[in-house]
Amino acid sequence: DSIGAITYYLLNNNPPFPEGNLKNGVYTLRRKITPFCADFLSCCLQRNPKNRESIANLREHPFITMIIDNFELVKRLDLSMLCIDEKVRYIKKLEGKDR
């Protein structure tokens, strides 16, 4: 599964199965990962394609929903900081300190 291989590569800086060899279906990680991430990779990197989760199910996997939730939080924080920055500029302008 491409999404599993890409996720693995991003975490490990090499492909999960050397030279595309999926015969034994065994992969190892060089770094510690969260249980959600480990489960996500397990759902994706199954030797038998019939045992792999569908993209619809993967979209709802806690690993993916956590990333999306965190991304949304970051966007809200960025917007909040922008609002604060705009308020500071406005106050400075009112005080004549925008020079």
Side-chain angles (χ1 to χ4, degrees), residues 79-97:
L79 184 59
S80 294
M81 293 307 292
L82 178 64
C83 292
I84 291 169
D85 190 46
E86 290 294 321
K87 288 175 186 174
V88 168
R89 276 191 249 158
Y90 180 74
I91 291 169
K92 285 182 178 181
K93 184 177 180 181
L94 288 177
E95 294 174 347
K97 296 179 181 179

Side-chain angles (χ1 to χ4, degrees), residues 3-70:
I3 193 162
I6 291 168
T7 303
Y8 180 95
Y9 194 94
L10 290 171
L11 293 169
N12 217 35
N13 204 27
N14 62 350
F17 308 106
E19 300 171 13
N21 181 2
L22 187 56
K23 288 181 183 173
N24 64 5
V26 176
Y27 58 92
T28 57
L29 285 163
R30 295 181 184 166
R31 60 177 18 178
K32 290 189 177 216
I33 59 174
T34 66
F36 285 145
C37 183
D39 185 65
F40 179 79
L41 287 173
S42 176
C43 291
C44 296
L45 299 176
Q46 293 292 318
R47 181 175 178 216
N48 184 342
K50 292 178 183 178
N51 293 338
R52 296 177 196 153
E53 287 291 337
S54 69
I55 195 71
N57 286 346
L58 290 174
R59 169 65 181 81
E60 299 302 320
H61 191 280
F63 177 68
I64 298 298
T65 58
M66 180 179 61
I67 290 170
I68 292 169
D69 291 346
N70 286 337

